[in-house]
C-alpha cells in the first residue's frame, strides 16, 4: 500500500470544492488516512516547493499557497501515488483533460486546486512535512473486502 500527500489548495477550499474532490478519491476506493485544515506558513511552503525555488512562478506560488487555508490529506491505496496524479490531471487547468479534477473544476494554470506527491520519495518527504507522528492513522476499513480482492492474502 502506498500513501500520497494531497493538498486541496486555497482555491479549492475557497470555492467550496473540498467535498466533491474528496468524494472522487473515496469513490475510487482510496482510503483517507490523514486530514488537516491548516494555513501553510511561508517557511513550510518553501520546504514543500524547494525544488521549484529557482523558477519564475515560485514567488507567486508561495504567495498563493499561504494566502488562505488548505486541506491536507494522506490518501492510501494500491498504487495510490500514481492513481492520485492521474485523477488530478495535467498541471495546467487549461490543458487538463476532462474527467480529471483539474480538468473539470478549473481553468487557471496556477490556481490548479490540488497538489499530489509525484513519487514514493516525494510522498515520504511531504507526509513528514505536513503530518506529525500519529496523525496518519492505520485504520481498518469495513468495506475493504469489496474494494480489493483479498483472497490471496494481499490486496489485488
Ligand atoms: N505552477 C505555476 N506556473 C507554472 C508551473 C507551475 O503557477 O508555470 C504552480 C502550479 O500551482 C503547480 C505548482 O506550481 O501545481 C507546482 O508545479 P509542478 O510543475 O510541480 O506541477 P504539479 O506537480 O503540481 O502538477
Ligand atoms: Mg510537482
Amino acid at each position: 500500500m502506498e500513501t500520497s500527500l494531497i493538498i486541496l489548495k486555497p482555491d479549492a477550499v475557497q470555492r467550496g470544492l473540498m467535498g466533491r474532490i474528496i468524494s472522487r478519491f473515496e469513490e475510487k476506493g482510496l482510503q483517507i488516512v490523514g486530514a488537516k485544515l491548516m494555513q501553510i506558513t511561508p517557511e513550510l511552503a518553501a520546504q514543500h516547493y524547494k525544488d521549484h525555488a529557482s523558477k519564475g512562478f515560485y514567488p507567486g506560488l508561495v504567495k498563493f499557497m499561504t494566502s488562505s487555508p488548505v486541506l491536507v490529506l494522506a490518501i492510501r491505496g494500491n498504487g495510490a501515488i500514481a492513481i492520485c496524479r492521474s485523477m488530478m490531471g495535467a498541471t495546467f487547468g487549461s490543458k487538463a483533460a476532462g474527467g480529471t479534477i483539474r480538468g473539470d473544476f478549473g481553468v487557471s494554470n496556477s490556481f490548479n486546486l490540488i497538489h499530489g506527491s509525484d513519487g514514493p520519495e516525494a510522498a515520504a518527504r511531504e507526509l513528514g512535512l505536513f503530518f506529525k507522528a500519529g496523525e496518519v492513522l492505520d485504520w481498518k476499513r469495513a468495506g475493504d473486502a469489496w474494494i480489493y480482492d483479498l483472497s490471496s492474502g494481499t490486496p489485488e
Side-chain angles (χ1 to χ4, degrees):
M1 286 283 174
E2 280 182 348
T3 308
S4 185
L5 188 279
I6 298 292
I7 304 173
L8 306 192
K9 295 183 178 183
D11 52 336
V13 177
Q14 288 282 356
R15 291 178 54 200
L17 293 171
M18 285 188 288
R20 294 175 74 184
I21 295 172
I22 291 171
S23 287
R24 289 190 174 212
F25 293 120
E26 290 184 312
E27 287 165 0
K28 175 68 177 168
L30 298 175
Q31 185 186 19
I32 310 297
V33 292
K36 188 190 284 190
L37 188 73
M38 64 180 290
Q39 183 121 12
I40 297 180
T41 63
E43 294 72 30
L44 180 56
Q47 284 180 289
H48 177 63
Y49 281 123
K50 68 177 175 58
D51 294 343
H52 291 315
S54 63
K55 312 259 175 70
F57 61 81
Y58 176 79
L61 175 61
V62 170
K63 190 169 171 224
F64 165 50
M65 293 298 291
T66 58
S67 63
S68 183
V70 300
L71 186 73
V72 183
L73 301 168
I75 296 190
R76 183 169 294 165
N78 256 1
I81 295 169
I83 291 171
C84 288
R85 290 287 292 189
S86 72
M87 290 176 69
M88 287 162 52
T91 299
F92 292 157
S94 63
K95 301 244 171 71
T100 67
I101 292 161
R102 286 165 167 171
D104 287 352
F105 294 131
V107 73
S108 168
N109 294 339
S110 46
F111 289 7
N112 61 358
L113 299 160
I114 186 165
H115 165 84
S117 306
D118 64 9
E121 214 172 287
R125 186 180 82 83
E126 294 170 0
L127 286 164
L129 284 178
F130 286 92
F131 288 104
K132 297 195 202 76
E135 289 182 338
V136 174
L137 305 182
D138 297 320
W139 60 280
K140 187 157 172 41
R141 197 168 40 168
D144 263 355
W146 294 105
I147 299 282
Y148 291 107
D149 176 358
L150 299 172
S151 56
S152 70
T154 53
E156 293 298 337

